[in-house]
Amino acid sequence: MYMDVGLDTGDMLVKMTLPIGAEDEFKGVVDLIRMKAIWWNEEDQGMTYELGDIPAELQAKAEEYREKMVEAAAEANEELMEKYLETMELSDEEIKTALPKAILAGSLIPAVAVSATKNVGIDTLLDLLVDSFPSPADRAPREGVAARRQAAGRRQVALGVVEDVDEQRFIEIIQCQKVT
């Protein structure tokens, strides 16, 4: 259950994980890069987890979304795209290499399933940020909205918004961008 974030993302929004269960039954995620199920331990509030096989009822869906993810990642690298078109597969490392370029180019927006209240999927999100998001040094400097407004003589504006999310909704899409 990925909610509509109200953005016109087209095919750019790419699932990196699939939820295992929903709401009160949200127990883990399918990591589409590793093609493994990750089950968080409820007894220690998600501080530990176990890797396992993808549940049979999610296997076909996981394969479908992995193919979409691999294709989106490969599009950012000509060499990997050629390999993908020949073999229809990329290794986990090749995917991790291609993701930062695709994210930086704006051709891929990663989406992950998480529950902050249950601490489910947080490690996967953090791993994705560390392993797959481009470094701020990889892009040209950008001038922020506040700087442009100030230069134009307008008042400062907030650059971030935090919304209170209904406690009953455990799965959200998180959109992140590293800034310098």
Side-chain angles (χ1 to χ4, degrees):
M1 172 172 88
Y2 283 81
M3 62 183 281
D4 181 7
V5 292
L7 300 171
D8 182 17
T9 59
D11 292 336
M12 295 183 317
L13 191 64
V14 177
K15 294 179 183 181
M16 307 302 285
T17 64
L18 295 177
I20 299 173
E23 298 182 8
D24 289 337
E25 300 302 314
F26 183 40
K27 308 286 186 210
V29 298
V30 174
D31 180 332
L32 296 175
I33 294 176
R34 294 188 279 181
M35 286 302 280
K36 291 285 185 186
I38 305 172
W39 303 91
W40 274 268
N41 186 347
E42 288 186 55
E43 292 174 12
D44 62 10
Q45 297 179 327
M47 295 303 290
T48 60
Y49 61 88
E50 293 181 24
L51 286 177
D53 292 332
I54 298 171
E57 66 272 11
L58 291 176
Q59 186 67 43
K61 191 174 183 181
E63 289 171 5
E64 173 190 347
Y65 282 105
R66 178 183 167 86
E67 183 177 332
K68 290 178 183 181
M69 178 197 59
V70 170
E71 186 175 324
E75 287 177 359
N77 182 311
E78 191 173 313
E79 186 178 302
L80 289 179
M81 182 54 119
E82 287 178 22
K83 180 183 178 195
Y84 174 71
L85 291 173
E86 289 174 15
T87 65
M88 298 307 288
E89 190 56 57
L90 296 178
S91 72
D92 295 355
E93 288 307 311
E94 289 170 324
I95 295 168
K96 288 179 183 178
T97 299
L99 283 174
K101 291 177 184 173
I103 293 168
L104 186 63
S107 62
L108 184 150
I109 300 170
V112 296
V114 299
S115 168
T117 57
K118 289 184 163 192
N119 202 23
V120 174
I122 303 298
D123 289 346
T124 307
L125 170 63
L126 294 174
D127 288 345
L128 178 68
L129 289 171
V130 170
D131 295 341
S132 302
F133 270 60
S135 164
D138 293 341
R139 65 167 180 80
R142 290 195 236 176
E143 187 177 85
V145 173
R148 286 195 309 267
R149 285 183 155 254
Q150 192 172 26
R154 292 186 261 171
R155 66 182 179 84
Q156 292 285 82
V157 296
L159 294 179
V161 176
V162 177
E163 292 184 39
D164 186 15
V165 178
D166 178 7
E167 334 181 308
Q168 298 302 308
R169 253 192 330 234
F170 294 113
I171 303 172
E172 297 291 332
I173 293 178
I174 298 176
Q175 181 181 356
C176 298
Q177 181 178 4
K178 290 182 180 179
V179 293
T180 56

